[in-house]
């Protein structure tokens, strides 16, 4: 009973080239449909490859972008934004593989990759796990490894695929567009991109026994550099967090899953602290 987990983001889906497409409401509603269609292509590929169960975690922005009424009915969807495990909510050791659909490059990882950032562009400048710089896909892959689940598939722009395959050379990569600049891309037609997603997802599942989980032994240390000193300072309300510079913090946990939850807590605090944690409170 092969079981596949999909973490879905929006910046790397077919058709996306600028941030405004994801923020202007009329454009955003278009791209919700495109995101859902890309995810459906990955679901179809997974089932064609032999999967018997697929769970998707919507992982972009408010984490409720995918249109459930248009989703492949064979799959289940984790939606909504109050999540301890962020983009991996629902993942456990019963899954056989994880896919990353529509993901993007890390902050400052490439001069080209489209809408690059690491988890929260408003506050995070760089993340390191045990002194290794990571983007979202690399970090989430290590957390999946904590559940003994290998990363088997990614989709996004060509610069993102190249970036991830530097550390995950065997992962199947579906290129949805050619990155030109952080806010420009040479786009494939969505149907062409979905055909590639479907094909590579199927190959990944058929070849799943060749993939090995990426693991990191504890203790696990995160170093996070924020964009503003107020963001770093406020995370030190957690007694486990050490300020290592005006905008930088460090903390250590016993294992990668605990460290991931701790990181997400720090990012939540940092996002809230951007304009003052009580800036809009009047009572």
């Amino acid at each position: 009973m092969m079981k596949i987990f999909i973490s879905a983001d929006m910046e790397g889906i077919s058709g996306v080239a600028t941030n405004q497409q994801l923020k202007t409401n009329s454009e955003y509603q278009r791209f919700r449909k495109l995101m859902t269609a890309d995810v459906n292509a990955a679901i179809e590929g997974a089932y064609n490859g032999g999967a018997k169960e697929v769970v998707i975690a919507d992982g972009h922005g408010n984490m409720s972008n995918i249109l459930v009424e248009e989703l492949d009915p064979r799959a289940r969807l984790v939606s909504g934004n109050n999540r301890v495990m962020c983009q991996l909510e629902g993942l456990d050791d019963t899954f056989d593989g994880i896919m990353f659909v529509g993901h993007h490059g890390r902050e400052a990882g490439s001069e080209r990759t489209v809408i690059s950032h690491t988890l929260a562009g408003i506050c995070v400048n760089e993340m390191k796990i045990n002194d290794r710089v990571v983007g979202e896909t690399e970090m989430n892959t290590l957390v999946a490894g904590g559940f003994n689940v290998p990363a088997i598939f990614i989709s996004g722009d060509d610069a993102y695929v190249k970036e991830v395959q530097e550390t995950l050379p065997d992962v199947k990569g579906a290129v949805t567009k050619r990155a030109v600049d952080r806010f420009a891309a040479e786009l494939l037609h969505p149907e062409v991109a979905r055909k590639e997603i479907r094909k590579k997802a199927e190959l990944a599942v058929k070849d799943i026994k060749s993939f090995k989980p990426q693991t990191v032994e504890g203790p696990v240390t995160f170093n996070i550099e924020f964009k503003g000193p107020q963001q770093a300072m406020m995370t030190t309300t957690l007694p486990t967090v050490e300020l290592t510079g005006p905008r930088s913090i460090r903390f250590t946990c016993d294992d990668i899953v605990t460290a991931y939850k701790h990181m997400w807590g720090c990012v939540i605090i940092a996002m809230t602290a951007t304009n003052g944690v009580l800036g809009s409170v009047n009572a």
Side-chain angles (χ1 to χ4, degrees):
M1 295 291 292
M2 195 182 303
K3 191 174 177 183
I4 301 297
F5 190 91
I6 296 176
S7 174
D9 210 340
M10 208 168 192
E11 289 86 357
I13 64 167
S14 58
V16 171
T18 75
N19 237 346
Q20 290 308 309
Q21 291 170 320
L22 309 184
K23 292 183 176 181
T24 304
N25 187 56
S26 59
E27 285 288 276
Y28 168 66
Q29 297 305 327
R30 284 181 58 218
F31 284 94
R32 293 181 72 187
K33 290 179 174 290
L34 290 171
M35 180 183 184
T36 305
D38 277 18
V39 169
N40 279 339
I43 295 168
E44 184 179 352
Y47 276 103
N48 290 346
K52 300 300 180 186
E53 188 175 350
V54 176
V55 176
I56 303 101
D58 188 329
H60 173 75
N62 64 17
M63 302 188 197
S64 55
N65 311 278
I66 293 170
L67 300 170
V68 68
E69 66 272 25
E70 296 183 14
L71 191 68
D72 189 315
R74 295 172 292 182
R76 299 195 308 278
L77 175 66
V78 179
S79 185
N81 52 46
N82 259 23
R83 303 187 196 168
V84 173
M85 288 295 289
C86 192
Q87 294 176 322
L88 300 180
E89 190 66 44
L91 181 67
D92 58 30
D93 61 5
T94 66
F95 288 88
D96 298 285
I98 184 170
M99 297 180 172
F100 298 94
V101 174
H103 278 249
H104 53 81
R106 67 179 182 266
E107 183 88 17
S110 164
E111 73 282 0
R112 290 196 301 123
T113 188
V114 178
I115 318 180
S116 57
H117 62 280
T118 303
L119 202 60
I122 194 172
C123 64
V124 176
N125 200 45
E126 183 179 78
M127 281 198 191
K128 292 181 180 178
I129 297 176
N130 289 356
D131 293 324
R132 168 185 158 190
V133 178
V134 294
E136 291 173 31
T137 300
E138 295 91 340
M139 174 171 55
N140 288 331
T141 293
L142 291 173
V143 179
F147 293 108
N148 202 37
V149 178
I152 64 172
F153 168 89
I154 59 175
S155 72
D157 68 63
D158 63 326
Y160 158 74
V161 170
K162 180 181 178 182
E163 181 178 295
V164 172
Q165 287 181 336
E166 289 176 1
T167 53
L168 296 169
D170 298 326
V171 73
K172 303 292 184 186
V175 173
T176 58
K177 53 201 160 193
R178 184 181 69 85
V180 174
D181 176 79
R182 195 179 190 195
F183 300 119
E186 181 183 293
L187 303 173
L188 298 174
H189 189 281
E191 286 297 336
V192 175
R194 285 175 211 141
K195 183 178 180 180
E196 178 73 359
I197 291 169
R198 198 175 296 114
K199 179 178 75 172
K200 292 291 181 64
E202 178 178 347
L203 288 173
V205 175
K206 283 182 174 177
D207 199 28
I208 200 162
K209 291 189 182 299
S210 69
F211 297 97
K212 303 298 180 188
Q214 288 271 315
T215 59
V216 55
E217 296 297 326
V220 176
T221 297
F222 265 80
N223 283 273
I224 306 175
E225 181 184 279
F226 293 107
K227 294 186 175 179
Q230 79 283 15
Q231 296 162 338
M233 179 61 76
M234 285 306 296
T235 67
T236 65
T237 54
L238 300 174
T240 48
V241 174
E242 174 191 359
L243 198 67
T244 58
R247 296 182 292 117
S248 303
I249 65 165
R250 176 172 58 216
F251 62 84
T252 300
C253 298
D254 290 340
D255 61 85
I256 185 62
V257 175
T258 303
Y260 181 79
K261 293 177 182 178
H262 198 306
M263 173 280 302
W264 180 223
C266 287
V267 171
I268 291 169
I269 291 170
M271 286 191 290
T272 308
T274 300
N275 295 310
V277 295
L278 300 178
S280 60
V281 174
N282 202 26

